[in-house]
C-alpha cells in the first residue's frame, strides 16, 4: 500500500481515533501491509479487526500491535491504537444472543466498508500515477485466467494479482491495497452472489481493461436464472470507461451480447477466425495441454500452454488479448504462457507420483461447465496421444457442486451420466444427500453397474478405497466445490507414495 498516516486513513474512512492522540496519528504512518490475519502482521501493518465464524478479530488486536501493526481498523475501541468505524446501528450490551450475531454482522460490514473506502482512495491515487487496472469475471475460469494474466503482464512491468480466489468484498480491496507506487498492473478477479456485487467491487478499483469469460450456471441457486447471471457479469463491462477496452469471449453468446452494454472499445476473442483474437486448430499433448496458433491482426504466434484442458484455450486467448493491448509481443506471449503452469492450488494441477499414478487436482471449485471440462481432460490424459498404446484406467472422484438451486438434482444426474458416456473407468461419488444420490443414480441409469460406480459417505472412505485399489499408471481426477472438502483428499493422494502410507 502507499504510505498513509493514521490521520489520513481516518479521514478517508470516516473513522474516529481511539487510544491514540490526533498528534500521534498525524505522525504515525502505515508503511506495511493491510492484514485481516494477525499471524501475517509485520512491522508497519494495519490490522483489520473482522468478526469471523470462529473468532473475532477485535480479540486479536493487541497481539497484532505487539507483532508490529501500528494500529487497528475496528468497529469498537480495542485498547490499542485504532481507527474506529461505527456499525449502522450501535452495539448494545443488553441484546440477546441472536441479536449479538447481528451486531457482529454489522461490525464486520462497517470494517469492510472502511476497507473498501481505503482501497478506493489508494487505487484512485495510483491510477493517476499510471497504474493499469485489469478486471476479470466469469462463471468459471476466473482464477486460471487471473494467473495467466499475471504471467503475460510480468515482462511488461510489476504486477499485483490476488492469491487464490480473493475475489469478494474482503479479498478484492485487500488485493488493491497490495499495490503501491511501483506497481504497473493490478489484476483483479471479481465474483458475485447477487446482482450489484460486481458493480460494487468495480467501483472500488474501476478497471481500464475488463475481461468477461463466460456465463454459466455457477451460483444459479442464488441468481435464479442464467439471464440474471449474465446481467451481473455485464456489470464489469459497464464499469469500463469509454477510454478503456473490454475483452469478450464471443464463443459464449451471452458474453458476445455484452458488446452492446459498454461504451468502451470491444475486443472479441474466440475459437474461430471471425474474432479479433482467435485460435487456430488446437492440439492437446499427453497431459491435455493445448497447443495452437494465436491470430491477432498482424500477430501470428505458436502457443503451447503450461496448463491442462481444452477449456484453457479461451482463458489463454483472453489473457493474450489483454497483454497485446498493454504492448506485449508475440514472442513474450509464447514464453509467458508456456511457463505459466497452475499457480493457485487445487485448480487443474496435474502431478504424477513416483508409482506412476497421475492426479488431477481440481478440488477447489465446481459447476456443471467446469465439471464437464475436467472430465474431458481426465479421459484425454488416460487415453494418451498414441492410439496404439492401451489406455490407462481413469478415476473420477467427484463431490457436490454447490449453489445450483432447483437445478442441483438434474445437473448432478447429468454429470453422473456424462462420466459413463465418456467411458471413465471408475466413478466415486463422495458425500450423502440428494445431489450426490442423483449423480450416482444418473451413472447407474446410464449403464454403469457394480464396481464401476461407487458411492461413499465421505473423504476418508474415498481415500481408503483409492489406496486399496489404485494401480500404477492410473489417472485420478478429484473435483468438487470447495465446501465438499475434497481438497484434503487431493492433498493426501498427491503426497502418497507407493508402499508409504
Amino acid at each position: 500500500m502507499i504510505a498513509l498516516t493514521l490521520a489520513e486513513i481516518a479521514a478517508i474512512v470516516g473513522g474516529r481515533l481511539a487510544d491514540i492522540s490526533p498528534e500521534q496519528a498525524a505522525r504515525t504512518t502505515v508503511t506495511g501491509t493491510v492484514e485481516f490475519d494477525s499471524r501475517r502482521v509485520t512491522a508497519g501493518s494495519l490490522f483489520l479487526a473482522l468478526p469471523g465464524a470462529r473468532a473475532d478479530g477485535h480479540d486479536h488486536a493487541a497481539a497484532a500491535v505487539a507483532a508490529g501493526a501500528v494500529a487497528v481498523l475496528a468497529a469498537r475501541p480495542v485498547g490499542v491504537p485504532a481507527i474506529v468505524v461505527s456499525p449502522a446501528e450501535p452495539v448494545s450490551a443488553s441484546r440477546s444472543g441472536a441479536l449479538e450475531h447481528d451486531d457482529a454482522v454489522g461490525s464486520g460490514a462497517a470494517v469492510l466498508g472502511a476497507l473498501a473506502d481505503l482501497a478506493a482512495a489508494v487505487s484512485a491515487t495510483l491510477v493517476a500515477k499510471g497504474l493499469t487496472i485489469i478486471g476479470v469475471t466469469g462463471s468459471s475460469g476466473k482464477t486460471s485466467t487471473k494467473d495467466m494474466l499475471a504471467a503475460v503482464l510480468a515482462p511488461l512491468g510489476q504486477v499485483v494479482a490476488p492469491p487464490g480466489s480473493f475475489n469478494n468484498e474482503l479479498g478484492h480491496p485487500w488485493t488493491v491495497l497490495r499495490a503501491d507506487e511501483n506497481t504497473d498492473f493490478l489484476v483483479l478477479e471479481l465474483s458475485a452472489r447477487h446482482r450489484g456485487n460486481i458493480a460494487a467491487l468495480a467501483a472500488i478499483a474501476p478497471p481500464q481493461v475488463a475481461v468477461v469469460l463466460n456465463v454459466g450456471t455457477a451460483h444459479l441457486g442464488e441468481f435464479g436464472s442464467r439471464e440474471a447471471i449474465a446481467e451481473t457479469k455485464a456489470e464489469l463491462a459497464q464499469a469500463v470507461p469509454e477510454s478503456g477496452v473490454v475483452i469478450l469471449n464471443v464463443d459464449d453468446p451471452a458474453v458476445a451480447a455484452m458488446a452492446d452494454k459498454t461504451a468502451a472499445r470491444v475486443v472479441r476473442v474466440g475459437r474461430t477466425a471471425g474474432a479479433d483474437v482467435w485460435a487456430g486448430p488446437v492440439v492437446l499433448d499427453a497431459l491435455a495441454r493445448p497447443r495452437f496458433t494465436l491470430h491477432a491482426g498482424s500477430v501470428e504466434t505458436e502457443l503451447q500452454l503450461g496448463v491442462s484442458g481444452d477449456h484453457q484455450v479461451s482463458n489463454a486467448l483472453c489473457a493474450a488479448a489483454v497483454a497485446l493491448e498493454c504492448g506485449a509481443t508475440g514472442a513474450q506471449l509464447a514464453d509467458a504462457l508456456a511457463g505459466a503452469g497452475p499457480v493457485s492450488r487445487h485448480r487443474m494441477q496435474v502431478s504424477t507420483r513416483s508409482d506412476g499414478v497421475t492426479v488431477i487436482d481440481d478440488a477447489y471449485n465446481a459447476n456443471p461447465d467446469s465439471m464437464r471440462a475436467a472430465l474431458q481432460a481426465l479421459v484425454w490424459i488416460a487415453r494418451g496421444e498414441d492410439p496404439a498404446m492401451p489406455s490407462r484406467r481413469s478415476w473420477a472422484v467427484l463431490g457436490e457442486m454447490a449453489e445450483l438451486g432447483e437445478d442441483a438434482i438434474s445437473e448432478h444426474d447429468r454429470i453422473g451420466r456424462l462420466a459413463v458416456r465418456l467411458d471413465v473407468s471408475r466413478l466415486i461419488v463422495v458425500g450423502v444427500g440428494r445431489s450426490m444420490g442423483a449423480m450416482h443414480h444418473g451413472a447407474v441409469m446410464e449403464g454403469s453397474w457394480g464396481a464401476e460406480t461407487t458411492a461413499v459417505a465421505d473423504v476418508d472412505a474415498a481415500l481408503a478405497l483409492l489406496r486399496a485399489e489404485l494401480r500404477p499408471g492410473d489417472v485420478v481426477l478429484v473435483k468438487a466445490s470447495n465446501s465438499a472438502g475434497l481438497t484434503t483428499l487431493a492433498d493426501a493422494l498427491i503426497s502418497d507414495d507407493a508402499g508409504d502410507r
Side-chain angles (χ1 to χ4, degrees):
M1 190 179 83
I2 61 176
L4 292 170
T5 67
L6 295 182
E8 289 172 324
I9 294 173
I12 289 169
V13 304
R16 61 185 176 85
L17 299 172
D19 295 294
I20 186 172
S21 69
E23 294 76 19
Q24 288 176 306
R27 295 193 303 267
T28 304
T29 302
V30 175
T31 57
T33 56
V34 177
E35 301 293 354
F36 54 87
D37 184 340
S38 60
R39 295 167 296 183
R40 296 184 179 275
V41 164
T42 57
S45 288
L46 177 67
F47 176 62
L48 301 176
L50 286 169
R54 300 183 183 89
D56 186 342
H58 292 81
D59 297 333
H60 298 275
V65 171
V70 296
V72 179
L73 184 57
R76 62 177 184 270
V78 286
V80 292
I83 299 168
V84 177
V85 287
S86 300
E89 294 183 5
V91 176
S92 171
S94 63
R95 290 187 179 189
S96 68
L99 288 180
E100 285 174 2
H101 170 72
D102 293 338
D103 286 342
V105 172
S107 298
V111 176
L112 285 175
L115 177 67
D117 290 340
L118 179 59
V122 168
S123 68
T125 297
L126 292 177
V127 167
K129 296 182 178 182
L131 175 70
T132 298
I133 299 176
I134 300 104
V136 57
T137 194
S139 294
S140 59
K142 294 185 294 296
T143 300
S144 296
T145 304
K146 173 264 299 180
D147 292 337
M148 288 185 192
L149 281 166
V152 297
L153 293 171
L156 308 180
Q158 187 175 110
V159 182
V160 168
S165 293
F166 271 43
N167 55 25
N168 60 13
E169 65 274 14
L170 172 59
H172 181 84
W174 179 89
T175 303
V176 172
L177 293 173
R178 255 40 193 176
D180 59 24
E181 293 90 341
N182 298 314
T183 307
D184 298 293
F185 302 100
L186 173 60
V187 179
L188 297 170
E189 181 181 335
L190 294 86
S191 183
R193 279 185 167 80
H194 305 285
R195 294 190 191 191
N197 284 164
I198 289 178
L201 294 178
I204 294 171
Q208 294 103 317
V209 184
V211 177
V212 185
L213 299 169
N214 45 55
V215 175
T217 51
H219 308 308
L220 189 59
E222 297 285 348
F223 286 95
S225 70
R226 193 166 182 266
E227 290 73 21
I229 296 172
E231 291 176 8
T232 304
K233 300 302 180 187
E235 292 171 7
L236 181 59
Q238 292 166 334
V240 180
E242 187 176 354
S243 58
V245 59
V246 173
I247 314 294
L248 298 178
N249 173 23
V250 295
D251 290 335
D252 185 326
V255 176
M258 295 178 194
D260 297 329
K261 297 185 178 182
T262 179
R265 179 168 56 88
V266 173
V267 173
R268 296 166 172 82
V269 306
R271 302 286 289 260
T272 61
D276 301 313
V277 179
W278 58 283
V282 177
V283 178
L284 302 181
D285 70 6
L287 294 179
R289 294 173 300 199
R291 183 172 65 252
F292 58 92
T293 302
L294 172 81
H295 302 272
S298 61
V299 176
E300 187 172 301
T301 305
E302 293 295 322
L303 298 181
Q304 170 68 64
L305 302 188
V307 290
S308 298
D310 181 78
H311 62 290
Q312 300 282 13
V313 173
S314 296
N315 299 337
L317 287 173
C318 288
V322 172
L324 290 170
E325 288 291 325
C326 294
T329 66
Q332 287 173 324
L333 285 177
D335 289 343
L337 289 173
V343 175
S344 300
R345 296 188 65 210
H346 304 298
R347 294 168 181 83
M348 287 304 289
Q349 290 184 296
V350 181
S351 56
T352 300
R353 301 184 337 194
S354 61
D355 61 356
V357 171
T358 297
V359 180
I360 307 170
D361 175 7
D362 200 23
Y364 186 84
N365 206 354
N367 58 60
D369 295 327
S370 66
M371 191 72 86
R372 285 188 283 269
L375 285 169
Q376 289 163 353
L378 165 67
V379 170
W380 177 270
I381 293 173
R383 288 175 181 169
E385 291 183 289
D386 186 353
M389 297 294 291
S391 295
R392 304 159 68 183
R393 288 200 308 172
S394 55
W395 295 71
V397 186
L398 307 181
E400 185 175 19
M401 300 177 288
E403 300 177 354
L404 294 180
E406 295 179 356
D407 290 336
I409 302 301
S410 60
E411 291 292 357
H412 283 83
D413 175 88
R414 290 189 184 100
I415 293 302
R417 293 174 185 271
L418 177 63
V420 177
R421 291 177 194 148
L422 290 174
D423 200 21
V424 172
S425 306
R426 296 286 302 274
L427 170 64
I428 301 179
V429 176
V430 185
V432 296
R434 296 180 63 204
S435 293
M436 302 319 297
M439 184 182 289
H440 182 254
H441 179 265
V444 171
M445 294 305 294
E446 195 65 27
S448 182
W449 297 291
E452 291 178 349
T453 298
T454 305
V456 297
D458 53 31
V459 166
D460 289 340
L463 183 58
L465 189 157
L466 289 162
R467 284 175 168 169
E469 300 191 25
L470 279 179
R471 299 199 301 253
D474 286 357
V475 186
V476 186
L477 167 69
V478 182
K479 185 164 181 64
S481 290
N482 192 38
S483 57
L486 265 63
T487 55
T488 58
L489 171 62
D491 288 340
L493 283 176
I494 293 168
S495 64
D496 274 352
D497 251 355
D500 181 18
R501 301 288 187 258

